Structures are given as C-alpha cells and as structure tokens.
Amino acid sequence: MSYQETHRRSLEQPAEFWSGLAEELHWYRRWDHVLDDSNAPFFRWFVGGETNMCYNAVDRHALGSKRGQAALIWESPEAEQSRTLTYHELYREVNKLAAVLKYNGVERGDRVIIYMPMVPEAIFGMLACARIGAIHSVVFGGFSISSLASRITDAEPTMILTADAGLRKGSPVQLKPIVDEALDLAETDSVKHVLVYNRDIINCQMQEGRDLDWYEEIEQHGQQYVEPERMKSTDPLYILYTSGTTGKPKGVVRDTGGYMVALHASMSQVYNVGDGDVYWSTSDIGWVVGHSYIVYAPLLKGVPTVAYEGRPDHPDPGIWWRIIEKYGVTCVFTAPTALRALRKFPEHWMKNADISSMRRIFSAGEPLDAPTYEWATEVLQVPVIDHYWQTESGWSMLANSVGIEDLPIKGGSPTFAAVGHHLEVVDIDGNPVPRGTKGLLVDYPPLPPGMLMTLWRDDERYIKSYWSHFQDKLLYLTGDYAIQDEDGYFFMLGRADEVLNVSGHRLGTREIEEVISAHPAAAEVSVIGVRDEIRGEAVLVVAVLKSHISKADEDNIANEMRQLVRDRIGAIATPHGVHFVSTLPKTRSGKIMRRVIRAVYQGDNLGDISTIEDDATVDMIREAVDAMQREL
Ligand code: PRX
C-alpha cells in the first residue's frame, strides 16, 4: 500500500489501523476499546488492555527463538570497554535488578529517578522499573544540581539510581556528589534509597541507611526471576522532563500500551528495520531519542541496539565508523550537530573503515541544514533521512516512512506526516495557510498512540501548553514554525516560542535566566539563542548590571555567570557569550523582546518593530536598540 493510502487509512480508521499493529505484541488482557477520545484532549489507547513493556521488550525474545541473539551492545571509548548481552543475558540482569528494587520497597506506581551515565546498568534500571510497574524518570547525566533537584521535587521518587561518575573525554563527570547536593535542595523527603553503581572513577561518600551499593544488593537480593506486573495500557511507563517556556521543566508522561504499539510499528514503518539489522542511535538515555530508540523500540522489535558512551570525535574522529564496521551496523539514528562536528575532519577518517553494512542514516532533533545533508549523502553514500518529532510525541510526527514507501528525499525536509498524525500549517487563528506560507505546525486530534498522556500531576498545564492557543479550535500546538512546498513536503523553520535547541538538546531560556538572575550583580537578564555553525544554536546572555557595578568587574562577572549555569544546570547550557548593555528593549508591560535582541546581535533585518508587540512603543524600543547596537 502506498504512503498516501496507508496514511489516509490511519486517520480514517484509527481503531482498525492500530489494533492490527497491537496484535503483534503480547497482552495479558485484550483491550476493550482501541481509542477512548471521550475526554479530549486526553486520548487513551487500548483501554482495558493489560500488558508489560519489559515482558514485550525482553522476555518475549529471551524465552523464544532470539534467546542467544545480541540484544544490547555497549561500546564505551570513554571507559575503553565494550560488552554484548544476548536477550537471555539481558533478561537475567533485568530480573536481578527488579528484585533489588522490590526488596528495597519500590512498588508499582512509585517513581524512580535514574541519573546515570550511558552504561548497560542504566538500561537495566529502566527495564527493571517497567517490569515491576515503577515509573522511571531518567535525568540526563550532564544536568547538574538545580535541574536534578527540581525533577526530584516534582516527581517525588522513592529511589534514585546513580553511579559515582560519568566520563567526558576521559575526565570524570561527578554524579553521586550531585545527587547528594540535589537531595539537600529538593523540597521532598520521598527518597528512601540511593542505589550507587560504583565504577571506581571517583571516591564517593555513602550515607548510612540511605545509600546502597549496587553490586552488594545484586549479590544479596538479586533473583533470577521476578514476575512482570500486569500493567494497564494506560498506566504511566515513564516521566521525562523537558524544557518549556517557563523556568519549571515539563514532566511529559508516557503511557504503556499506546507507546509500545507505536514504537514497535515505527521500527518497520519509519526505519524499515527488522531481523538481521543492527540499530544504533547515538543519543543518550537522558533524552527521548534514547528512551525510544536506544532502549524500547529496538528491543521490542528484537534487534540488537548499540548503546554508546562517548563523543563522535574521541579518541579520534574515526571512532563511529569503526563501530559501524565492528558490529555491521545497518541503521544509524543521529543528530545534525554530530554530523556537523564530523564534517570538520578530513574524510579519510571515515574512509578508513568499511561502513558498507549501513543502509540509511536518520537524523532528528534539529534542522538538518542543506550543506550537512549534502555532505553526508555524498560521503557516506547512503540515503540521509530527516525526521521530525518531540519529547512529547515519543516517535516520529513527520517522516519519510521508508518502510511504507520510500519517497523521494528533498534535502532539509522531514517529508510528510507519520501515520496517525494529521499535521497542518496554520495561521494564528488556527486556519490552514496556503502552501508556501509560513505558519504554526499543529496536529489535529485525536493524537496517535505514543503521544504524551499529560504533564505529571498538571493536567492544566498540559492543556494550557498544547491545546489552548486557538479559540474554538482544539489543535495540538507543536511550538514550531513550518512551511509546506507545492508538493506538500514540510520544512521546519524553528521554534515559535522561547525554547532553545543547542546541539539538538532542548533548553528553556527561562531556566537559564533564572539561574543567572541569582547572580548578585544582575539587574535584568535575557537569554536568547543565536545561530551557531556547529551547535545549531548557541546560548547568548544579554544582561543589565546593577548600577554600582564598575566596568572593570564585568569580565569576572561574566565568568561567574557562566560558571553558575554550569554548576546549576549543566555544561550543555553554558553561555557562549555574555554581554552587558545599559538597557534591554521591552514592551510597555515590561516583557523583554528577545526577538529584537537576537536580530540586533545577528545583524538581521529588524523589520517593522512597531508591529512586533501590540503594547510596545516604537520610541522605547528604538532607544534600546540604538544603545544595544553600540554596545553589542
Ligand atoms: O523544534 C523542534 C526540534 O526539536 C524539538 C523537539 O526537541 P526534543 O523534545 O528534544 O525532541 C527531539 C526528538 C527528536 C522540536 O519541537 N526538531 C526535532 N526534529 C527536528 C527539529 N527541527 C527541525 N527538523 C527536525 N527534523
């Protein structure tokens, strides 16, 4: 069936479409209703059904014909180690850890925060939670104290899984000490235990009674078998925090059954991957791509998944290509930022390895710019497929679904809507715009399986963030600008809100502003994203200092502000530049106009500033802009 027909069927007969795909998986109890849309915009899939994600991702293969086949391939240039686990070995490890969690009081529905480096044990942790019905919330190991503390406060976990440290270009990145500080800062005493996987990278203090040693616990309480919980399809599998437009991260809640069915289907439909393939997503389990395409989707499909601890250029820029050769990787999922980083190096680095096993490269997370797309296609000699999605969606929203129909690629376009998604480009009133006109990308209800259920304990914010932008129209707002060409191909034109995208990682301007505002010298702070050749966007701080601060202190203050961001949020949010100005352009109601600051900094055309904000006075803005143009 063609893409057009398949897509139409998915929208016109969603129940038939998705139930056929759900039948390929194991259910303890079959669903009563495929879709319950009676409480829109809260859509529930496979209602009444009972299943277990871990059973489907691990047991189903470990107890079947894939028992001895590779499930998880861990490759760590950082630790100079690698490890391959078969489905049965993975099954054993997950069971043992599940027993440890249970022994230490983790119950169905409890939250468990996983703050770990890219080691197999972190993945055992996710699967062990899924097995016993605990809700995991993985926090990226590059985040620091404040980010972790706010997630602990919000999720109220009973347990935290961590390691002594991660590694970055051979240097330790502390984890356990950050957990200790974050627990002091968090506004909850929900955490009963911290389970510490000690890699002997740093010495860490263990708190008697609270902290537990991973190896000792596995030895004493790990068991070979723990019965998987029969979970409702609509029970949450995980919470994953992502940045929004306020300082407080949003806890995206994912269901069990709908997500499982969508991910499993996406492996064939979007990636055209199945038996005989080796799948490698170069992301980190701290991000949604890691959840979906390092852990759950490849395992559900029963293909080996590569988990990678390291960077694209360490110990040298040939490392990725050697890994592809070593394991015969057939499908790679990466981010444009990594491709841009590798493009800087001479081509012999990739030509030295035999990468002929690779059939396709998929890219997501940020715009795939034309020069990078063309370079990758030419040098790697495989189709480079852009696809677009979000933490909220869990899997593709826009894709060239090559497993359904391999459509012609247009460089820079993530092609068409994935099955189940009805996407349109609309104006500010929610009316579709003609082809060739820029607008907001929206998804029509009902949302397909896999999309977020709500925000953790905040249904109101879920509605406010995604569903309340258009009067009288219930449309899911992606937060992105897009345009369609005359053939209907979508092109992404960046965020319509104040969310940054640095190296494919999502950061909120408000989160960074709040941290910098805590500096005693700061009077007013504005954080914007500016164009950056490698990272896509870079963090720029434009601030006004308190009046008594002398010019001579500015360099020190800028450094302190940078350090503050590193310490509180993490290295990925470190400002690229910190500039001090005498005044910031604001609306009459006092809202800082980040768009104007960005235009001034980048030397872009300011456009007609009188129409930018209703309540801004042109003179006020002009004055600020003139001053900024002199100062920036
Ligand atoms: O702005 C879009 C951008 O990344 C955002 C989602 O980021 P995150 O929640 O981290 O999830 C990433 C999952 C792949 C989107 O709202 N984005 C993602 N993919 C693309 C993209 N921008 C342009 N082209 C893409 N292919």
Side-chain angles (χ1 to χ4, degrees):
M1 213 190 287
S2 69
Y3 159 76
Q4 293 283 2
E5 271 174 76
T6 313
H7 184 248
R8 191 178 327 114
R9 197 177 148 245
S10 75
L11 299 189
E12 286 172 2
Q13 299 171 304
E16 287 80 352
F17 184 86
W18 291 107
S19 66
L21 295 165
E23 273 158 16
E24 294 173 20
L25 293 153
H26 173 81
W27 296 82
Y28 299 108
R29 183 182 188 279
R30 200 185 153 85
W31 51 91
D32 300 318
H33 304 285
V34 179
L35 167 65
D36 175 2
D37 57 0
S38 60
N39 187 27
F42 299 90
F43 302 100
R44 298 293 177 255
W45 288 89
F46 307 108
V47 179
E50 287 178 8
T51 187
N52 183 286
M53 180 63 118
C54 177
Y55 181 89
N56 276 287
V58 182
D59 300 33
R60 213 161 47 95
H61 309 301
L63 305 175
S65 60
K66 296 215 164 125
R67 177 191 168 88
Q69 290 184 21
L72 178 61
I73 298 168
W74 178 59
E75 188 66 39
S76 172
E78 290 288 0
E80 295 178 8
Q81 283 173 5
S82 52
R83 182 177 174 193
T84 299
L85 289 106
T86 63
Y87 271 96
H88 197 259
E89 286 164 340
L90 178 63
Y91 168 79
R92 280 270 185 269
E93 296 294 342
V94 171
N95 270 289
K96 284 189 229 166
L97 187 56
V100 169
L101 299 188
K102 279 193 117 164
Y103 176 85
N104 286 292
V106 179
E107 292 179 4
R108 179 182 176 133
D110 283 355
R111 274 78 56 211
V112 173
I113 282 192
I114 301 180
Y115 182 62
M116 293 188 73
M118 277 293 293
V119 291
E121 285 69 16
I123 296 173
F124 305 160
M126 294 166 74
L127 293 163
C129 287
R131 188 168 195 86
I132 65 169
I135 302 168
H136 62 67
S137 186
V138 183
V139 178
F140 174 57
F143 278 136
S144 197
I145 307 163
S146 306
S147 303
L148 180 57
S150 68
R151 286 154 174 80
I152 295 171
T153 302
D154 197 63
E156 299 185 308
T158 44
M159 195 188 259
I160 298 180
L161 309 187
T162 192
D164 54 344
L167 290 161
R168 192 182 153 90
K169 291 203 167 178
S171 308
V173 178
Q174 296 196 344
L175 294 172
K176 171 63 167 59
I178 302 285
V179 171
D180 293 337
E181 288 197 56
L183 280 172
D184 287 342
L185 206 66
E187 293 157 30
T188 174
D189 54 7
S190 61
V191 178
K192 302 290 173 280
H193 292 295
V194 179
L195 185 62
V196 186
Y197 178 66
N198 198 342
R199 309 174 79 189
D200 289 330
I201 297 174
I202 58 169
N203 278 327
C204 50
Q205 303 283 323
M206 298 289 275
Q207 188 178 308
E208 188 75 36
R210 186 193 73 182
D211 298 347
L212 307 168
D213 180 82
W214 195 289
Y215 295 108
E216 279 173 22
E217 289 296 312
I218 294 277
E219 206 171 293
Q220 287 168 19
H221 310 296
Q223 285 167 22
Q224 304 291 344
Y225 186 71
V226 173
E227 185 75 23
E229 281 283 318
R230 287 170 68 130
M231 303 305 291
K232 284 197 234 140
S233 173
T234 51
D235 278 335
L237 175 72
Y238 66 72
I239 307 169
L240 178 56
Y241 288 89
T242 189
S243 297
T245 47
T246 70
K248 187 172 175 255
K250 302 193 235 188
V252 165
V253 180
R254 194 85 61 205
D255 72 336
T256 302
Y259 182 56
M260 179 176 83
V261 171
L263 287 187
H264 184 251
S266 75
M267 289 305 280
S268 350
Q269 296 182 338
V270 178
Y271 303 97
N272 197 17
V273 159
D275 283 349
D277 279 301
V278 178
Y279 191 89
W280 181 16
S281 162
T282 65
S283 185
D284 185 288
I285 50 154
W287 310 111
V288 70
V289 177
H291 283 63
S292 295
Y293 293 104
I294 294 174
V295 184
Y296 291 116
L299 294 177
L300 282 168
K301 193 72 191 167
V303 301
T305 178
V306 180
Y308 180 72
E309 184 184 31
R311 302 170 54 82
D313 56 355
H314 180 77
D316 62 61
I319 182 68
W320 277 19
W321 318 111
R322 292 199 296 276
I323 291 173
I324 292 171
E325 173 179 305
K326 180 172 172 188
Y327 297 108
V329 174
T330 57
C331 185
V332 175
F333 178 167
T334 191
T337 199
L339 295 174
R340 284 194 296 267
L342 287 169
R343 191 174 152 217
K344 285 190 312 193
F345 298 103
E347 279 172 26
H348 70 78
W349 283 112
M350 67 190 64
K351 298 260 149 100
N352 285 345
D354 175 2
I355 56 170
S356 57
S357 59
M358 187 167 63
R359 287 189 290 117
R360 285 191 186 87
I361 280 207
F362 289 84
S363 152
E366 48 173 326
L368 176 61
D369 54 284
T372 307
Y373 164 74
E374 278 153 24
W375 168 83
T377 311
E378 195 184 309
V379 178
L380 302 172
Q381 297 272 305
V382 292
V384 179
I385 308 227
D386 187 10
H387 60 329
Y388 160 91
W389 49 289
Q390 314 182 301
T391 303
E392 289 83 348
S393 71
W395 64 287
S396 289
M397 299 180 84
L398 289 170
N400 186 346
S401 299
V402 294
I404 298 173
E405 184 184 350
D406 204 342
L407 295 162
I409 298 174
K410 291 198 188 192
S413 167
T415 319
F416 299 139
V419 290
H421 284 283
H422 178 181
L423 292 160
E424 296 276 359
V425 181
V426 302
D427 62 19
I428 47 166
D429 298 318
N431 299 313
V433 296
R435 298 248 162 113
T437 308
K438 175 179 172 176
L440 298 161
L441 184 70
V442 297
D443 210 349
Y444 281 62
L447 296 181
M451 291 280 296
L452 77 168
M453 300 177 82
T454 185
L455 295 175
W456 179 247
R457 288 183 179 155
D458 206 345
D459 287 349
E460 218 171 284
R461 191 174 177 198
Y462 165 73
I463 293 176
K464 189 158 174 273
S465 305
Y466 304 107
W467 294 99
S468 60
H469 291 264
F470 309 102
Q471 260 186 344
D472 310 325
K473 288 193 189 74
L474 193 66
L475 298 172
Y476 171 88
L477 187 76
T478 60
D480 287 295
Y481 286 121
I483 194 167
Q484 277 182 287
D485 72 4
E486 66 281 9
D487 300 323
Y489 276 64
F490 287 85
F491 289 80
M492 301 311 300
L493 301 174
R495 294 290 302 192
D497 55 17
E498 295 302 336
V499 169
L500 296 176
N501 194 327
V502 178
S503 302
H505 302 319
R506 203 163 136 176
L507 298 166
T509 47
R510 283 298 311 150
E511 280 169 81
I512 307 174
E513 281 172 3
E514 279 178 19
V515 167
I516 296 179
S517 301
H519 191 287
E524 279 181 313
V525 178
S526 160
V527 165
I528 56 170
V530 291
R531 283 191 292 269
D532 183 272
E533 215 177 292
I534 298 290
R535 288 168 286 200
E537 264 187 319
V539 176
L540 185 83
V541 179
V542 181
V544 178
L545 293 177
K546 289 189 178 147
S547 54
H548 63 274
I549 307 288
S550 76
K551 270 250 163 266
D553 291 330
E554 286 188 358
D555 281 353
N556 276 343
I557 294 170
N559 285 335
E560 285 163 11
M561 286 179 169
R562 276 200 192 87
Q563 195 56 42
L564 210 54
V565 176
R566 277 177 171 279
D567 290 348
R568 309 308 301 184
I569 301 181
I572 48 165
T574 308
H576 177 66
V578 180
H579 295 280
F580 300 117
V581 293
S582 47
T583 174
L584 292 169
K586 277 188 253 168
T587 64
R588 201 178 283 156
S589 60
K591 208 170 139 215
I592 294 172
M593 300 168 82
R594 297 191 183 91
R595 192 147 91 75
V596 173
I597 303 174
R598 184 181 302 117
V600 170
Y601 182 80
Q602 295 185 159
D604 296 344
N605 188 351
L606 277 175
D608 180 3
I609 47 175
S610 65
T611 59
I612 293 174
E613 299 274 341
D614 294 343
D615 56 356
T617 66
V618 182
D619 290 350
M620 270 164 62
I621 300 166
R622 266 275 155 238
E623 240 170 68
V625 167
D626 289 347
M628 272 198 322
Q629 271 166 340
R630 288 191 302 274
E631 291 161 340
L632 276 181

